[in-house]
Structure formats: structure tokens, C-alpha cells
Amino acid sequence: MTAFLRFGYVNYTPDTEVVRFIRGLREGKLYGTECVGCGEFYFPPRSDCGKCVKGDGMEWKEISGDAKLVTFSISQFAPKGFEKVVPYILAVGQLKEGPNVVAHLEGVEKEEIEIGMDIKLVVKEIGEDRYIYVFVPK
Amino acid sequence: MSERIGIIGVGQTSFHRIRLAKSLREMCFDAYSEALDDSNLAPEDIDGLIVCYTEEYDKQRGPWSPIAEYLGLTPKPVVGVSNYCASSTMGVRVGWAMIKSGLHDVVAVIGYQKMTELSGAEVQEKMIRGGDLMWETPFGIGMPHVYACFANRHMHEFGTTEEQLAMVRVKNSEYGSLNEKAAFREKVTVEKVMKSPVIAWPLKLLDCTANADGASCVILAKEEIAKKVSDTPIWIKGIGSSSETNSMGARESFVTTGSWRAAEQAYKMAGVSPKDIDVAEVHDCFTIAEIMAYEDLGFCKKGEGGKFIEEGESYIGGKIPVNVDGGLLCKGHPVGATGGSQIRTITLQLRGEGYKIHPKCEVEGAEIGLVHNVGGTGHVSNVIILGR
Ligand SMILES: CC(C)(COP(=O)(O)OP(=O)(O)OC[C@H]1O[C@@H](n2cnc3c(N)ncnc32)[C@H](O)[C@@H]1OP(=O)(O)O)[C@@H](O)C(=O)NCCC(=O)NCCS
Ligand SMILES: [Zn+2]
């Protein structure tokens, strides 16, 4: 099995140069990449910098996971393949390091959700050697 | 003055959710035949075909090929255009350029989608694969989910209410109930929308458009021909297009689809401003999308879209009548056909033929109209300004 298939409830992207991301997930850590040339930081990681487009290489950097909730929705409807996950809270959180990230928000009741609240992005094991990242309240 | 491009023929099938005994070629034929008849042209006058669609809802690959053959247009040049829900306005943009360049004189733009072969969950599974396949699709981030994220942020920043969202459907259903070609003919109340099942909170079933089958056709011609064959050619005055990031995480704002950029281009090119627009068709795939469109198109300030619908400004008689044919919400949304249907509505309105939708849908004396068509969650936006 291609290692990146270990990411997500459903995965459609087996082949990628950032497959090393999975090693971090196994250790409970989340890594982004920083462009060696221009310093642009990416999470989720990218193997190429879209800002300077130079190909100077990327460096792996662990993230804190600290974030603030930007927006969310509470999904009752599942696209095919997601029946077992529904209902889920889909959240956009802005990481302390800058980028926005899409992930499920878990461990909160509807009434407790407030845009702007402190949340944390953490690794979750969702099957045998299978992972995803989720937001949890901080 | 440089040569103008005119719309001289429009056609559209009914949009429907019932699976009919009709193949996609046959659907496209119906729209094409109606537009050709409307244009007073003969089949041999069409010198290029553009077919607009999004892949995978039906089994045909490269649908431009069988459609060209079925319409009798082989061996003329045929182009396939695929830009999600904005495919057929992108087809009009491509056709505009093909004529403007001098390569073609008359081009037919056909949009179609046949979605009823699949369930709603199957269609969404295809739609989510149009997003960030690697990092976001694995979370099941569908169209209603993203628009619900826009809605929650809009409510947070501007105090927009769920009732105001519902009012968009109420308005569109008032006109949609009159439109024979619409899939949903029921007139609904705010209460009914609010009580419909939650799809992705705060959006409920009636805040959403529905997958449907249908085809549309727009025939474009260079100025000389347009004037010769038509007493009422409708001119393309401004045409703008823009794109937004594929991944939601890379977006700068969650209260816009980004279509204000396409709007700015179109207004500039047409030399008009929002207050000059007499009638508009906007991309109301979800109620929140219409509210954001009012703002992005400059019909009101950012954040005041909720107030705009609440005060009735988008009804006939208000500041700018919007989606007075039922919009996507009531017509249904066969994605590749939708832009062409919007252009048909505005073309009829500007010709003084709005009564062909329904006498009560006609915006009398309309001279300048606007079409706003968004693909995905803003991945692509087209704004086209039309005039008499
Ligand atoms: C909202 C949505 C998820 C509902 O899908 P679903 O649960 O599979 O719905 P179904 O097709 O099973 O229909 C269930 C019932 O709701 C009705 N219905 C479905 N969508 C509706 C809508 N938008 N408006 C009114 N009624 C609708 C159906 O007619 C059906 O009624 P019936 O049982 O009386 O026949 C689906 O319509 C959808 O995905 N809409 C958005 C499409 C989209 O994203 N398009 C691109 C946007 S740019
Ligand atoms: Zn760089």
C-alpha cells in the first residue's frame, strides 16, 4: 500500500512527494513545509513553492496545532463514501503559523461552537495505521 | 467602434428531476433547435460549436463529439468547455473570442447536464472531487458544506439571519412557480424553508438548489450578421472572468466567492455601474450565494445582502430584480446548462419578451441586464453584461 493512502477517511491521492507527512502522523506530530528560498510556510505541506516558483527545496517544520476557528458547518448530509462519518462539524481554523486548515472539529456541542474560539489541530488514528487530523477545543 | 458580438438565438429545455426517456444528445437537440428557430438562421449558417458540461455525471466521454454529429454540425470545428457550474458562460466567453478574433461568424454554445442517473449522494461524491482532492476531499467537504461555512461566517460578521437566507428561496419560488421550465413550482414560505431538513447547518434542504437534467443553447454572431437577421440583437457589453483557490484553506475570505473581480472587469468593459442594471440573474446555488452575489456585484455594500432581500429590493419593483425566473434554487441546476439558461432569461427580458417566461416575470423596459455564474465554490466566476 502506498503510504499516503493512510491519510483520511477516504483517500483519492496515493502518489505524492510529501509522503513523509505520514511518518509524522505515526508519531502524533504534524509537519508543514517552509520554502528554503523565500521562507513561505505551508500547511498542509507542499513539495514545491507556489510563491517564488524557484524549486530551491523545502524544509519540514513541526507545527504547534494552535488555531482559531474561522468558520464551520454542521453536516447532516454525506457524500457517497462518508455515510459512517456523518454528522460531522466541518471547520476552517487559522493556525498560529498563518495558514487556514480544513478539518473536522470534534469534542464540542453545537451550542459551544463560537467563531474565534481557540482550537487545536491534533492527529487522530482512525483505523489500523490510518490517520487524519482533527480540531479539538483548547 | 470595434465590432460587437450579439446574441441572436436562445433556447432551453425544461429542467427536471424526473428521469425522462431522453438521451443527452436528444436533450441538446431540443435546446439547439429552439435557439436556431429563434435566430432565423439556417443550420448551415452555424460555423462553430461549443459544448459545455462537467464530466462524469453521465457515461459519455468527450460529449462534444456525439452532440456535434447529432446536430448535423460535423465536420465543423467543435470545442468542449468544462468549468463546473460556470461551463456555459465560459463557453460564451470562448465563443465571444472566437468571433472577435475573426475566426468565426456564428457560433452555437450548448450547455447540458444529465444528473438524474445518479443519487444526490453520488453526485456530491463527484462534486467533492473538484475540490482539494489531496487534503480537503478526505473530510467529505461537499458543496452545501462549503456554502454553509460561508453562511456561518456571514452571520458572524454581519448579523445575517437564517430567516434572511430563507427569504431568498421565498422570492425565487414566487417567480419559479410561474416558470414552466422550472423543476420546482411550489411557492414556499419562510417557515417552510426553516422547517425543511438540515443539510449542512445553517443550510436546509430548501436553501439548496437541486441536481437536475436539462440543456440550453445560446447563438452568438458578429455584428453585421446579428443586425441582418435580428430586429432585437442583444449585445455583449462586458464580459469578466476570475478564479479562486481550489482549496478552501487558501481562501482569504469566507464571505465571498471572489466573483467581485469578474464583476469589476465586466462593469469596466461595459462602461456601466451596478445602479445601471435593470435585471440580473445570479448564481443562487444556495440562498447564501445569492446574498453574497448582491454584495459582490455591488447591488449593495458587503454585509448588507441580508437587508437587501429583507427589504424586497431584489423583487420586481425593487432596486434590481434578481432571479425573477426562479433562479437555480427553483429551476434546478443541471450544471453545464445553467449559465445558458441565465443568458436566455436576460436576453428575453432585454428584448421585451420576458412574458415568454411568464407575464408576471417580465421586467418592463429593461435595457441592461447582468448574468453572474459561479463554478464550484468560486473556483471560477463569470459575469456578463448584456444590453439592447
Ligand atoms: C440538498 C441535496 C444534498 C439533497 O439531496 P438528497 O438528500 O439526495 O435529495 P433527494 O434527491 O433524495 O431528494 C429528497 C427530496 O427532497 C427534494 N429536494 C431535493 N433537493 C431539493 C431542493 N434543492 N429543493 C427542494 N426540494 C428538494 C426532492 O424532490 C425529494 O422530494 P420527494 O421525496 O418529495 O421526491 C442535493 O439536492 C444537493 O446536493 N444540492 C446541491 C447541488 C449542488 O451542490 N450543486 C452545485 C452547486 S454550485
Ligand atoms: Zn518560495
Side-chain angles (χ1 to χ4, degrees):
Chain A
M1 175 161 147
T2 321
F4 199 74
L5 279 174
R6 306 200 173 283
F7 178 75
Y9 295 106
V10 180
N11 183 301
Y12 306 90
T13 321
D15 309 320
T16 169
E17 289 177 356
V18 295
V19 60
R20 207 196 131 183
F21 185 71
I22 302 297
R23 254 199 266 163
L25 295 181
R26 282 182 174 140
E27 295 165 8
K29 292 176 177 169
L30 292 166
Y31 287 89
T33 52
E34 190 179 272
C35 175
V36 173
C38 75
E40 186 73 4
F41 178 73
Y42 296 97
F43 189 91
R46 290 176 48 136
S47 45
D48 308 287
C49 180
K51 194 171 174 216
C52 67
V53 201
K54 281 244 172 68
D56 286 339
M58 300 293 243
E59 230 167 65
W60 290 89
K61 289 256 158 93
E62 191 182 347
I63 61 161
S64 63
D66 294 337
K68 283 196 187 304
L69 183 65
V70 176
T71 189
F72 69 100
S73 71
I74 306 174
S75 307
Q76 303 291 347
F77 176 86
K80 188 166 180 253
F82 293 87
E83 297 82 358
K84 289 208 181 107
V85 198
V86 85
Y88 45 89
I89 302 170
L90 194 80
V92 180
Q94 182 171 28
L95 294 175
K96 200 176 78 186
E97 290 82 359
N100 286 326
V101 182
V102 168
H104 294 165
L105 171 61
E106 299 187 352
V108 282
E109 295 302 319
K110 183 181 171 186
E111 301 72 41
E112 299 167 348
I113 307 172
E114 236 177 280
I115 288 180
M117 72 193 275
D118 289 317
I119 50 180
K120 196 173 173 76
L121 193 68
V122 298
V123 178
K124 183 182 177 188
E125 194 162 356
I126 51 174
E128 210 200 319
D129 199 21
R130 183 147 198 152
Y131 310 87
I132 198 146
Y133 44 71
V134 295
F135 285 115
V136 291
K138 210 180 150 192
Chain B
M1 197 174 110
S2 83
E3 167 114 11
R4 294 181 292 179
I5 311 293
I7 295 172
I8 54 167
V10 287
Q12 186 205 312
T13 67
S14 287
F15 288 177
H16 52 86
R17 289 177 43 81
I18 307 154
R19 201 166 159 184
L20 300 182
K22 208 176 244 302
S23 70
L24 68 92
R25 308 166 198 204
E26 293 158 350
M27 275 167 34
C28 291
F29 183 91
D30 292 348
Y32 176 62
S33 159
E34 186 177 310
L36 197 61
D37 184 52
D38 185 49
S39 73
N40 299 319
L41 290 174
E44 54 271 23
D45 297 329
I46 306 293
D47 66 17
L49 175 67
I50 301 175
V51 178
C52 314
Y53 54 92
T54 295
E55 308 83 351
E56 290 195 30
Y57 299 119
D58 59 70
K59 307 285 186 300
Q60 181 71 56
R61 295 188 73 223
W64 42 269
S65 174
I67 290 167
E69 178 190 331
Y70 199 72
L71 305 183
L73 287 168
T74 321
K76 291 171 183 173
V78 50
V79 179
V81 172
S82 173
N83 281 87
Y84 302 160
C85 321
S87 295
S88 46
T89 47
M90 195 60 91
V92 167
R93 184 179 173 87
V94 172
W96 183 92
M98 281 162 60
I99 298 174
K100 195 82 179 166
S101 67
L103 274 177
H104 288 261
D105 292 339
V106 183
V107 172
V109 182
I110 291 188
Y112 88 88
Q113 214 69 62
K114 187 168 188 297
M115 306 174 86
T116 57
E117 290 178 22
L118 304 175
S119 71
E122 285 169 334
V123 167
Q124 277 303 318
E125 192 273 339
K126 307 220 180 282
M127 287 187 181
I128 67 174
R129 285 194 278 116
D132 181 341
L133 196 64
M134 188 164 165
W135 296 109
E136 296 183 354
T137 307
F139 290 97
I141 176 170
M143 302 290 297
H145 311 134
V146 175
Y147 277 92
C149 284
F150 289 154
N152 270 326
R153 186 73 204 182
H154 207 277
M155 289 160 71
H156 171 76
E157 281 189 36
F158 308 118
T160 307
T161 64
E162 285 178 69
E163 286 79 5
Q164 288 171 333
L165 298 180
M167 286 171 196
V168 173
R169 177 74 184 231
V170 171
K171 168 181 69 72
N172 294 358
S173 79
E174 178 166 331
Y175 300 107
S177 68
L178 305 168
N179 184 349
E180 272 180 2
K181 296 197 171 189
F184 295 99
R185 304 289 304 277
E186 190 195 346
K187 227 168 129 170
V188 299
T189 59
V190 167
E191 201 189 357
K192 174 139 191 189
V193 181
M194 298 284 288
K195 284 200 174 141
S196 62
V198 172
I199 298 293
W201 189 81
L203 301 180
K204 296 130 205 122
L205 181 66
L206 294 180
D207 286 299
C208 305
T209 184
N211 309 316
D213 291 358
S216 63
C217 179
V218 177
I219 298 178
L220 306 174
K222 67 174 187 177
E223 180 158 3
E224 186 195 328
I225 294 176
K227 279 180 172 160
K228 199 157 75 194
V229 301
S230 173
D231 296 332
T232 51
I234 298 304
W235 305 107
I236 295 179
K237 291 180 160 296
I239 189 159
S241 188
S242 62
S243 60
E244 253 297 356
T245 61
N246 182 249
S247 54
M248 284 303 109
R251 295 287 170 96
E252 279 168 12
S253 168
F254 291 90
V255 291
T256 176
T257 54
S259 52
W260 56 271
R261 297 184 187 91
E264 268 183 14
Q265 295 167 24
Y267 284 128
K268 186 163 176 237
M269 182 171 161
V272 302
S273 68
K275 66 174 184 342
D276 299 316
I277 304 300
D278 298 316
V279 55
E281 282 280 296
V282 311
H283 197 89
D284 58 329
C285 50
F286 298 91
T287 49
I288 181 65
E290 181 164 321
I291 286 179
M292 293 191 301
Y294 300 152
E295 302 164 350
D296 291 338
L297 296 168
F299 297 174
C300 63
K301 288 206 196 91
K302 193 49 114 185
E304 292 181 358
K307 204 171 112 207
F308 197 78
I309 178 67
E310 185 160 4
E311 293 179 351
E313 299 291 17
S314 46
Y315 278 80
I316 293 177
K319 266 191 192 132
I320 303 178
V322 176
N323 291 337
V324 295
D325 61 355
L328 282 61
L329 284 168
C330 297
K331 287 192 290 186
H333 183 26
V335 296
T338 286
S341 166
Q342 295 177 305
I343 288 179
R344 169 182 176 266
T345 291
I346 296 298
T347 299
L348 294 178
Q349 292 283 10
L350 299 180
R351 282 183 189 162
E353 294 177 354
Y355 63 85
K356 286 188 176 167
I357 297 164
H358 189 280
K360 286 190 188 149
C361 295
E362 176 146 345
V363 178
E364 272 174 45
E367 289 185 4
I368 298 178
L370 180 147
V371 169
H372 163 264
N373 189 199
V374 176
T377 57
H379 297 114
V380 53
S381 294
N382 289 321
V383 174
I384 301 180
I385 294 172
L386 303 175
R388 285 211 285 231

